[in-house]
Amino acid sequence: MKKPWLVMASSLVLALAVSACGGGNAGTTEEAPADETPAAETPAEQPADTGELKPEEGAKLLVWESADQKSFIEEVAKAFKEKYGVDVEWADVGPDKSMGQMITDGPAGLGADVFAAVHDRTGSGAAAGIIMPNDVFEAETKEIMSETAIGAVTHEGVLYGYPYSVETTAVYYNKDLIPEVPADWNGVVEFAKTFNNPAENKYAYMWPAGNGYWSFGFFGGYGAYVFGAGGTDPNDIGMNSEAAVEAGKFFQTLNQILPFKTGDITDDVRKSLFEQGSLAMNVSGPWDKESFKGLVPNLGVTTYPTLPNGEPMKPFSGVKAYYVNANSKFPVAARLFAQMASSPEFQKKNYQMTGVLPAAKALAEDPDIQADPFTATFLKQFENSVPMPAIPEMANYWVPMESALASIWNDNADPKAALDSMVQQMKDLAATAQ
């Protein structure tokens, strides 16, 4: 049986072809073979003069997004209603949970028509057959969005997502404690020697050291990688390469300037110390900009310090995108909503409303956006970042990496042994899943 989105895509291609020829009923579709079940209703008739898509008759949409995006989704929904007459309902399912929930609920018809997700789950969604390719707006999306964002939401050569934001991490700092962040890690270590005072809970630099997302920047900067071929080859795991081992050795030395067990470096601890003026440099992402401004009046942000090998750190980056449920009853309306919400116009509105970094190429150079030093810094760091691999096997990375980091940091274990164990765990998990 063909995947549902293939049946729907064929219908849309036929509809547009008929429309372009000025012929008959553009909503007419091929009759599905007896062994196939169409994924959704036939698309509504298309205007013969323009080929413009129109939502299905009686369409209504459910959109999943996080609570901090509710007001923005409501803005898009209002414009969508005015243009297409389609009602849009929002539900609080964040990008970090949506793909997993969609894999469970989508086939049963309980999922959203459009949902936001982080790009690294694209492969899982595609493998499960629950996301529809971004086919109708593919050329437009590729023209508008950054190349990195497009690559992040593409799986096995197929574009699935409608990117709307990018994000990575950088270094926030309290200018009253340190006028500027040292350019390299040697400078950070020297500053820590004069600033750290565990008895008074004072620390120079803090990040979630035991987390594979937050600590990857050291490994990326040394040239290590999770999967080869740009994150697409699950058979080439690079986390115990010579470069990775060198990164692990340097990472291990930093437990001298941050004398915490990895499990004790929590968000609450970091924010509390930052607010109290007891933490000079605090690593986080653009999502913390406004809350950190409330904690630290004289706040700055900058890119990561250079590593001892002379290379910049390369942290993970993420791309958030809208995806269309392959089982949606209204796939045309869903496509249209995803396209509108991710358009440059609404990306800029989203930035103005919520501060998310846009994925559109033109907006990265927009004077209004570049005028904000925080946004400009994160966009600059994004240029020196590594998009998280989007293949399903990425799920095998997190727990083994956390275990390896904890062993290297907390127990001063041999980095090579810890990383060899990590890679073997990843291989074992992959073999179990087959």
Side-chain angles (χ1 to χ4, degrees):
M1 180 181 294
K2 294 182 181 177
K3 292 189 183 298
W5 58 259
L6 285 175
V7 178
M8 195 63 251
S10 298
S11 298
L12 281 171
V13 170
L14 178 62
L16 290 173
V18 172
S19 174
C21 296
N25 182 357
T28 302
T29 62
E30 298 175 279
E31 181 177 351
D35 64 339
E36 296 183 357
T37 302
E41 298 176 6
T42 300
E45 182 176 338
Q46 312 307 318
D49 56 341
T50 65
E52 181 183 356
L53 291 177
K54 292 178 61 178
E56 298 85 350
E57 187 72 27
K60 56 182 179 180
L61 299 177
L62 173 63
V63 176
W64 284 352
E65 244 292 17
S66 55
D68 61 356
Q69 286 283 297
K70 180 183 178 183
S71 59
F72 170 71
I73 293 297
E74 289 174 344
E75 283 289 314
V76 184
K78 179 181 177 181
F80 197 73
K81 173 76 170 179
E82 291 175 354
K83 182 172 183 178
Y84 295 111
V86 174
D87 289 320
V88 179
E89 180 182 350
W90 166 85
D92 184 8
V93 181
D96 58 331
K97 301 179 179 66
S98 60
M99 195 70 78
Q101 189 164 330
M102 185 61 67
I103 290 173
T104 300
D105 295 345
L110 302 176
D113 299 282
V114 179
F115 62 98
V118 183
H119 82 270
D120 65 313
R121 298 304 308 277
T122 303
S124 297
I130 53 87
I131 53 176
M132 190 175 292
N134 178 353
D135 46 11
V136 175
F137 297 105
E138 179 179 9
E140 178 180 334
T141 302
K142 288 182 175 180
E143 181 181 355
I144 291 171
M145 307 304 174
S146 77
E147 185 176 345
T148 300
I150 292 297
V153 298
T154 297
H155 179 67
E156 295 185 348
V158 178
L159 177 66
Y160 286 94
Y162 301 71
Y164 70 90
S165 77
V166 300
E167 60 188 25
T168 191
T169 54
V171 185
Y172 289 95
Y173 62 104
N174 186 334
K175 294 181 179 180
D176 292 332
L177 301 178
I178 182 170
E180 60 182 8
V181 173
D184 57 38
W185 270 97
N186 180 63
V188 174
V189 171
E190 290 303 311
F191 173 76
K193 290 177 181 178
T194 63
F195 185 84
N196 276 12
N197 188 335
E200 297 180 5
N201 253 352
K202 290 179 62 178
Y203 301 96
Y205 190 108
M206 191 172 286
W207 80 101
N211 185 286
Y213 175 83
W214 296 93
S215 285
F216 180 79
F218 297 101
F219 294 85
Y222 270 89
Y225 55 88
V226 182
F227 298 112
T232 64
D233 185 357
N235 298 312
D236 179 9
I237 302 175
M239 288 306 297
N240 63 341
S241 64
E242 183 177 342
V245 172
E246 288 304 306
K249 289 178 180 178
F250 174 66
F251 170 81
Q252 189 172 63
T253 67
L254 298 179
N255 63 13
Q256 300 302 307
I257 67 166
L258 184 55
F260 278 70
K261 296 296 184 183
T262 56
D264 295 333
I265 308 173
T266 66
D267 287 346
D268 287 343
V269 166
R270 292 189 297 127
K271 285 189 175 183
S272 177
L273 292 173
F274 211 31
E275 181 178 23
Q276 295 167 16
S278 298
L279 175 61
M281 294 170 277
N282 189 10
V283 173
S284 195
W287 51 85
D288 268 332
K289 180 180 74 172
E290 295 305 322
S291 65
F292 281 4
K293 283 182 175 180
L295 301 178
V296 179
N298 200 4
L299 182 70
V301 69
T302 190
T303 54
Y304 282 101
T306 300
L307 292 163
N309 66 350
E311 296 295 324
M313 291 180 67
K314 293 187 177 181
F316 271 145
S317 56
V319 175
K320 289 181 181 177
Y322 299 111
Y323 295 84
V324 173
N325 179 1
N327 295 282
S328 171
K329 294 180 180 179
F330 309 109
V332 177
R335 280 177 169 92
L336 289 168
F337 183 87
Q339 187 271 341
M340 176 182 282
S342 62
S343 66
E345 174 191 354
F346 277 98
Q347 282 191 41
K348 184 165 184 178
K349 184 179 290 291
N350 199 353
Y351 168 75
Q352 292 169 335
M353 294 178 66
T354 69
V356 299
L357 277 61
K361 290 182 289 189
L363 292 179
E365 304 300 327
D366 186 290
D368 294 337
I369 291 175
Q370 280 292 318
D372 180 359
F374 290 86
T375 299
T377 296
F378 279 108
L379 288 173
K380 182 178 179 180
Q381 184 62 68
F382 182 74
E383 295 174 2
N384 266 325
S385 68
V386 178
M388 289 180 289
I391 59 177
E393 289 80 3
M394 186 61 185
N396 301 333
Y397 164 83
W398 302 107
V399 173
M401 181 62 163
E402 182 176 338
S403 177
L405 292 173
S407 180
I408 293 169
W409 185 277
N410 298 337
D411 306 326
N412 287 310
D414 175 57
K416 185 178 188 310
L419 293 169
D420 282 344
S421 176
M422 170 198 175
V423 170
Q424 187 58 52
Q425 290 176 56
M426 290 179 65
K427 292 179 178 179
D428 291 345
L429 287 170
T432 300
Q434 291 179 351

